[in-house]
Each structure stands twice: as C-alpha cells, then as structure tokens.
Amino acid sequence: MLKLAIVILNWNTRGQLEKYLPSVVKHSKMPGVGIFVADNGSNDGSVELLEKHFSDVAVIKFDKNHGF
C-alpha cells in the first residue's frame, strides 16, 4: 500500500534529473513510498532517461507543458 508519494514536476530538466534523482531514489527505498515524475511534454530526452535508467520511478507523460 502506498503511504507516501514523491511527485516531481518536470519540463526539460534532464540535467537536474540526472544529478538529483539518484539521491531521491536511494533515500526513498522503503515500503509504502513511490516516486513519480510528471513530465510536461519535455523534448530534451528526460522521459527517455527515466525509462532507461530509473525503472523504479513511475512516469506520468503529458502531451504539452500544462505548468503547475
């Protein structure tokens, strides 16, 4: 059962995901914690990075930037 959801809003921030997401994943490995990246139509390879290197992170893909 999911008790805590960490949701990261993303739009063309591949560099920041590469730099900071490994730490978030590392320190969130416990029962009931889920990590989600909501991507606002990035075109910088963010989604591909997530799908290739962060299989434990759920990706919510939007077709365009909807903002906050």
Side-chain angles (χ1 to χ4, degrees):
M1 178 165 80
L2 190 64
K3 293 182 179 185
L4 174 67
I6 299 168
V7 181
I8 300 168
L9 183 60
N10 180 65
W11 182 64
N12 290 330
T13 60
R14 179 186 169 122
Q16 285 81 10
L17 289 173
E18 287 177 305
K19 185 173 183 176
Y20 298 110
L21 191 55
S23 180
V24 174
V25 171
K26 178 181 176 183
H27 295 288
S28 302
K29 291 192 181 233
M30 56 193 75
V33 176
I35 302 171
F36 301 83
V37 174
D39 183 78
N40 269 330
S42 293
N43 58 13
D44 68 343
S46 294
V47 172
E48 293 80 7
L49 170 80
L50 293 166
E51 292 174 343
K52 185 173 182 182
H53 297 288
F54 297 97
S55 59
D56 292 342
V57 175
V59 181
I60 303 166
K61 299 178 203 173
F62 295 109
D63 60 340
K64 64 180 183 175
N65 187 351
H66 293 276
F68 290 100

